[in-house]
């Protein structure tokens, strides 16, 4: 009954429109032609204004159609007219004689050839078009539930039911612990009895937290592929609309549908779009978002509860979520999805390499060693860029050189070989990059040099790839100071060899200052002692942080922080200066080789530093088959030592 009423309401406006057009069409069909009386017609003919007429005798009357000229606002205008006269011989003879006297063109038309059928078609065509358009619109509106218009579905849930997902846990590499956590959800949904026998309750909500590109959504898709239960997916932004109350209605509708198909899983991607802390909106809050959040809180763990519904959510801004959303009973469990370590990166590369062809010398562990800090999405991008480069170079297989170039492209952008430098600029860049390399080869705790080039990339005039000798979870004070000294190496080399400094060290100074300030204000690695002051590097949530004081310490402490930061920078700068002064000749040797070859691998730089000569295999390019294996062996030994140390600590 309600469906019929809804259909009638949707049809009523169109019926009114159809009736209005039915009244208007006869007037529209008349166009510019108008009917005049016969005596008016005679007067127009006598005034010699008629150009031509058509005479159509019928059974009782004679139809006369024609065109005459009329002055309107001083200009002549043609006007169509029609008139009728009785069908008698005298009237017809009189009409023809009148027209002949005025030299009016006469065309006699047989009534049978007048095209009555076409006139009927042209008359009915507007009605047919209107009825057809109305029928089409009604069909479109009736495709919804029970004939309701789409306007009535505005508050319905936008959650999509995932079916036949091809992603499995085998497609998710480098997240063994994280997969175990979500596998538990799938096991509970498949065999809930073994959990209930133990008295265990499965978490109502699981929050995936981690930086962008680490595989949170991929992990959720794998759960959808593994679970034999309904899996609803939605983005947090799909709840929020400009109309207050729509988001809350969509939350209610989503959980209502989920209850009907329980047990099931609901996945909310980017939940921070709707789950931000309440009362933090600038200028009084955001009523629509906060009402949506309130409804979500009630549905997850309210008075009635929703048994059999597990909520998965993903975000990279867990710090802005409302505390009520994170409490046990709603999101009972948080899974940290961090950037992968070396072993995990090698596994991720193997997964993304399934449909690609590589040369035998490609070693994923070697690539993983070169890409510290890369996320899963960036590693996928590296292999995709390598495949594109291989196609561009017409290679049959992806080579190690293609992958090496792809890593550089992802980190610094494409090489700008067309950019022209003056000879002085080339020398300055070469000595600058050689300064970084010498510090890395000299200091025990500094990062190891993997590759140096003076080919510009992005905004950088040169590029120096340095990776940690051992990938550790923690950094000591000496390691951080060595890192700062490594950043200072390029600036010191410019000052010593050219007696001047350039803007090329801008990013080096920025990174060194950031590390030094972090050591003083957050890590307690200065004379101020183990005290944490305000962090200036954290993510800002404007609604929450706007009214808070940016500094909770006195002006004297701020001055002392600046003093300690400067002291650290000066100490590392002087250390870098001493090292470069002691190794002037070796730095010059590396710089001159850079000027000749433009790109040097780590083994070439070590050979130049130790012997002053290039390796015999060097021909201006990096020979991956000979350079990578020794590096991989050395790195593997160091990583094995680090693993042994971690095992002892455990």
């Amino acid at each position: 009954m309600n469906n019929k009423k809804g259909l009638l309401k949707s049809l009523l406006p169109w019926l009114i429109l159809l009736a209005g057009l039915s009244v208007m069409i006869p007037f529209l069909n008349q166009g510019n032609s108008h009917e005049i009386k016969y005596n008016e017609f005679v007067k127009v003919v006598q005034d010699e204004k008629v150009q031509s007429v058509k005479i159509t005798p019928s059974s009782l009357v004679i139809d006369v159609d024609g065109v005459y000229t009329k002055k309107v606002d001083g200009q002549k205008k043609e006007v169509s007219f029609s008139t009728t006269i009785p069908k008698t011989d005298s009237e017809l003879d009189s009409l023809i004689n009148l027209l002949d006297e005025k030299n009016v063109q006469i065309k006699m038309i047989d009534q049978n050839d007048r095209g009555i059928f076409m006139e009927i078609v042209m008359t009915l065509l507007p009605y047919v078009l209107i009825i057809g358009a109305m029928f089409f619109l009604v069909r479109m509106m009736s495709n919804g539930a029970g004939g309701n218009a789409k306007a009535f579905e505005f508050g319905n849930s936008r959650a999509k039911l995932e079916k036949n997902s091809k992603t499995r846990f085998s497609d998710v590499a480098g997240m063994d612990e994280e997969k175990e956590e979500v596998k538990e959800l799938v096991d509970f949904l498949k065999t809930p009895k073994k959990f209930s026998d133990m008295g265990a309750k499965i978490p109502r909500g699981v929050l995936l937290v981690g930086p962008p590109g680490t595989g949170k959504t991929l992990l959720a898709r794998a759960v959808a592929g593994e679970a034999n239960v309904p899996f609803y997916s939605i983005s947090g932004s799909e709840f929020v609309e400009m109309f207050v109350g729509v988001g809350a209605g969509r939350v209610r509708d989503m959980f209502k549908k989920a209850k009907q198909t329980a047990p099931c899983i609901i996945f909310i991607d980017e939940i921070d779009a709707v789950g931000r802390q309440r009362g933090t909106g600038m200028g009084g809050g955001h009523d629509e978002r906060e009402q949506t959040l309130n409804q979500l809180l009630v549905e997850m763990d309210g008075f009635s509860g929703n048994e059999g519904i597990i909520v998965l959510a993903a975000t990279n801004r867990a710090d802005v979520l409302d505390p009520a959303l994170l409490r046990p009973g709603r999101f009972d469990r948080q899974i940290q999805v961090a950037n992968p370590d070396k072993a995990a990166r090698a596994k991720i590369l193997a997964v993304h390499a399934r449909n690609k062809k590589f040369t035998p010398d490609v070693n994923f562990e070697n690539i993983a060693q070169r890409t510290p800090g890369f996320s899963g999405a960036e590693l996928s991008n590296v292999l995709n860029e390598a495949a594109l480069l291989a196609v561009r170079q017409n290679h049959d297989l992806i080579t190690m050189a293609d992958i090496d170039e792809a890593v550089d492209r992802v980190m610094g952008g494409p090489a700008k070989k067309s950019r022209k430098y003056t000879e002085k600029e080339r020398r300055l860049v070469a000595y600058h990059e050689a300064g970084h390399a010498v510090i890395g080869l000299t200091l025990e705790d500094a990062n190891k040099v993997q590759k140096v080039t003076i080919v510009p990339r992005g905004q950088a005039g040169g590029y120096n790839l340095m990776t940690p000798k051992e990938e550790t979870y923690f950094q000591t004070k000496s390691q951080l100071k060595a890192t700062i000294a490594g950043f200072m190496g390029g600036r010191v080399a410019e000052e010593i060899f050219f007696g001047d400094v350039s803007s090329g060290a801008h990013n080096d100074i920025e990174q060194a200052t950031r590390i030094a300030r972090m050591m003083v204000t957050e890590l307690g690695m200065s004379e101020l002692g183990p005290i944490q002051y305000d962090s200036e590097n954290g993510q800002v949530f404007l609604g929450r942080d706007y009214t808070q004081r940016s500094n909770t310490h006195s002006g004297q402490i701020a001055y002392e922080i600046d003093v300690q930061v400067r002291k650290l920078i000066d100490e590392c700068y002087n250390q870098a200066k001493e090292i470069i002064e002691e190794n002037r000749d070796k730095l010059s040797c590396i710089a001159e080789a850079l000027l000749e070859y433009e790109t040097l691998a780590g083994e070439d730089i070590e050979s130049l530093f130790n012997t002053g000569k290039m390796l015999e295999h060097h021909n201006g390019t990096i020979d991956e088959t000979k350079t990578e294996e020794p590096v991989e062996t050395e790195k593997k030994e160091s990583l094995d030592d680090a693993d042994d140390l971690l095992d002892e600590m455990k």
Side-chain angles (χ1 to χ4, degrees):
M1 188 67 181
N2 292 333
N3 292 340
K4 292 181 178 180
K5 290 182 178 180
L7 181 62
L8 181 61
K9 289 182 179 179
S10 62
L11 288 177
L12 185 60
W14 299 104
L15 294 174
I16 295 174
L17 178 63
L18 179 62
L21 290 175
S22 301
V23 176
M24 294 176 60
I25 285 175
F27 296 98
L28 295 175
N29 287 336
Q30 291 180 1
N32 293 327
S33 177
H34 63 284
E35 189 171 350
I36 60 177
K37 296 180 180 180
Y38 182 69
N39 56 352
E40 295 178 357
F41 166 70
V42 173
K43 182 179 180 182
V44 169
V45 172
Q46 291 176 347
D47 293 340
E48 299 182 354
K49 295 180 180 180
V50 177
Q51 301 174 1
S52 61
V53 296
K54 296 178 182 179
I55 300 176
T56 308
S58 61
S59 59
L60 299 176
V61 295
I62 300 173
D63 295 328
V64 181
D65 300 320
V67 178
Y68 71 93
T69 58
K70 180 180 179 182
K71 284 188 177 181
V72 179
D73 297 332
Q75 296 181 352
K76 292 184 178 181
K77 181 180 179 181
E78 293 184 352
V79 180
S80 300
F81 70 92
S82 63
T83 186
T84 57
I85 61 175
K87 185 181 179 183
T88 61
D89 293 340
S90 60
E91 291 290 345
L92 181 59
D93 294 340
S94 175
L95 173 63
I96 293 175
N97 292 333
L98 176 64
L99 295 175
D100 287 339
E101 291 178 1
K102 300 298 182 180
N103 296 322
V104 178
Q105 297 180 0
I106 303 174
K107 184 177 181 181
M108 300 294 294
I109 299 176
D110 188 356
Q111 185 180 12
N112 296 326
D113 298 333
R114 192 176 182 182
I116 298 177
F117 177 76
M118 288 302 298
E119 290 186 4
I120 295 174
V121 170
M122 295 302 297
T123 303
L124 296 179
L125 182 61
Y127 299 99
V128 174
L129 292 176
I130 292 173
I131 294 173
M134 186 183 69
F135 179 76
F136 176 76
L137 291 173
V138 171
R139 284 287 303 274
M140 291 292 293
M141 292 187 295
S142 299
N143 287 334
N148 290 330
K150 292 294 183 182
F152 295 98
E153 300 179 2
F154 190 69
N156 289 4
S157 170
R158 298 293 192 266
K160 303 175 183 64
L161 181 61
E162 297 290 337
K163 295 181 179 178
N164 303 323
S165 176
K166 298 181 180 180
T167 307
R168 297 292 186 269
F169 284 138
S170 58
D171 300 319
V172 183
M175 291 191 289
D176 297 334
E177 294 79 8
E178 292 83 350
K179 284 194 290 186
E180 288 297 326
E181 295 289 329
V182 294
K183 278 181 181 178
E184 191 177 80
L185 305 179
V186 178
D187 291 340
F188 172 79
L189 294 171
K190 290 182 177 179
T191 57
K193 187 176 184 303
K194 69 178 181 179
F195 290 90
S196 60
D197 291 344
M198 192 61 66
K201 293 183 179 180
I202 203 68
R204 292 195 179 188
V206 176
L207 183 65
L208 305 175
V209 183
T214 51
K216 300 183 294 297
T217 306
L218 177 65
L219 187 59
R221 287 205 302 266
V223 174
E226 295 286 347
N228 292 324
V229 296
F231 187 95
Y232 297 92
S233 65
I234 191 171
S235 172
S237 61
E238 294 186 64
F239 291 112
V240 182
E241 291 284 354
M242 64 179 292
F243 303 108
V244 175
V246 172
R250 289 180 178 176
V251 172
R252 287 191 295 270
D253 187 65
M254 179 178 68
F255 278 88
K256 179 182 177 182
K257 292 179 179 178
K259 286 179 184 178
Q260 296 171 355
T261 57
C264 65
I265 296 175
I266 295 175
F267 174 62
I268 305 175
D269 200 6
E270 304 297 345
I271 193 173
D272 53 278
V274 70
R276 293 182 184 176
Q277 293 183 23
R278 291 166 290 182
T280 54
M282 301 298 295
H286 192 303
D287 291 338
E288 163 61 1
R289 181 183 55 75
E290 292 187 1
Q291 288 193 27
T292 306
L293 174 58
N294 290 336
Q295 188 63 44
L296 182 61
L297 296 176
V298 172
E299 294 291 345
M300 289 188 68
D301 187 22
F303 190 78
S304 59
N306 287 303
E307 299 296 335
I309 299 176
I310 299 175
V311 180
L312 276 176
T315 182
N316 56 0
R317 289 298 305 272
D319 58 308
V320 305
L321 294 180
D322 195 273
L325 191 63
L326 300 177
R327 72 160 175 83
R330 292 195 175 108
F331 283 110
D332 306 84
R333 183 180 297 173
Q334 292 189 28
I335 300 177
Q336 297 291 330
V337 185
N339 283 326
D341 58 10
K342 178 179 178 294
R345 289 197 297 273
K347 295 178 181 178
I348 293 172
L349 288 167
V351 169
H352 292 297
R354 290 175 179 173
N355 61 339
K356 297 178 177 63
K357 300 177 181 179
F358 298 89
T359 55
D361 64 317
V362 173
N363 189 327
F364 293 135
E365 292 184 357
N366 193 353
I367 302 170
Q369 179 68 26
R370 294 184 179 193
T371 53
F374 274 44
S375 66
E378 289 173 323
L379 293 172
S380 174
N381 193 24
V382 165
L383 292 186
N384 185 62
E385 288 287 345
L388 294 175
L389 289 169
V391 174
R392 189 182 303 173
Q393 300 296 331
N394 295 321
H395 295 169
D396 295 330
L397 301 173
I398 300 173
T399 65
M400 199 68 186
D402 295 328
I403 297 175
D404 183 73
E405 175 64 20
V407 172
D408 293 343
R409 289 171 68 91
V410 172
M411 296 181 69
K416 298 184 178 181
K417 297 181 179 180
S418 61
R419 181 182 294 177
K420 301 300 181 183
Y421 284 142
T422 64
E423 185 60 27
K424 182 178 179 180
E425 286 177 325
R426 288 186 76 249
R427 293 186 64 82
L428 187 142
V429 172
Y431 277 84
H432 180 103
E433 300 301 334
H436 290 303
V438 167
I439 300 297
L441 292 168
T442 306
L443 283 179
E444 178 67 23
D445 295 318
N447 292 338
K448 185 175 181 180
V449 179
Q450 296 287 350
K451 180 181 179 181
V452 179
T453 178
I454 59 173
V455 177
R457 288 183 182 273
Q459 300 298 321
Y463 178 64
N464 196 331
L465 177 60
M466 301 176 71
T467 59
K469 296 175 182 177
E470 295 180 1
E471 195 165 327
T472 60
Y473 290 100
F474 308 103
Q475 287 185 299
T476 63
K477 181 178 180 180
S478 60
Q479 288 175 330
L480 292 172
K481 291 177 67 175
T483 302
I484 295 175
F487 283 124
M488 294 290 104
R491 174 68 172 256
V492 172
E494 294 179 11
E495 183 179 350
I496 291 176
F497 286 91
F498 295 92
D500 198 0
V501 293
S502 70
S503 61
H506 173 270
N507 187 63
D508 297 333
I509 295 173
E510 179 183 356
Q511 296 296 330
T513 305
R514 180 185 62 81
I515 295 174
R517 183 166 290 276
M518 180 180 65
M519 292 173 64
V520 175
T521 60
E522 298 181 45
L523 305 179
M525 295 180 178
S526 70
E527 295 178 1
L528 295 179
I531 301 175
Q532 183 177 15
Y533 300 97
D534 284 350
S535 172
E536 297 183 0
N537 300 318
Q539 292 178 310
V540 176
F541 182 29
L542 184 61
R544 177 189 61 199
D545 300 334
Y546 181 76
T547 57
Q548 294 182 357
R549 295 177 59 189
S550 59
N551 292 317
T552 58
H553 47 72
S554 64
Q556 178 64 27
I557 293 296
Y559 169 75
E560 293 182 11
I561 290 174
D562 293 338
V563 170
Q564 292 300 318
V565 171
R566 177 176 295 182
K567 184 177 180 180
L568 274 172
I569 296 291
D570 290 342
E571 182 180 343
C572 297
Y573 188 90
N574 293 330
Q575 185 182 19
K577 193 170 185 179
E578 291 176 5
I579 293 172
I580 291 179
E581 288 284 6
E582 294 173 0
N583 298 278
R584 289 176 62 101
D585 296 339
K586 296 179 180 180
L587 191 149
S588 297
C589 182
I590 295 173
E592 293 300 326
L594 276 172
L595 288 171
E596 180 178 356
Y597 297 107
E598 291 191 336
T599 300
L600 298 177
E603 292 76 11
D604 298 313
I605 296 172
E606 290 183 6
S607 177
L608 288 167
F609 185 82
N610 295 324
T611 66
K613 297 180 181 180
M614 293 286 295
L615 293 177
E616 294 181 358
H617 70 266
H618 200 291
N619 60 353
T621 60
I622 299 177
D623 189 347
E624 299 291 347
T625 60
K626 297 182 180 181
T627 60
E628 296 302 332
E629 292 178 358
V631 177
E632 183 60 22
T633 303
E634 181 180 349
K635 290 174 183 175
K636 190 175 185 304
E637 291 175 355
S638 63
L639 287 173
D640 291 340
D641 295 339
D643 293 338
D644 294 339
L645 179 60
L646 288 173
D647 293 337
E648 292 176 4
M649 293 173 64
K650 293 179 180 177

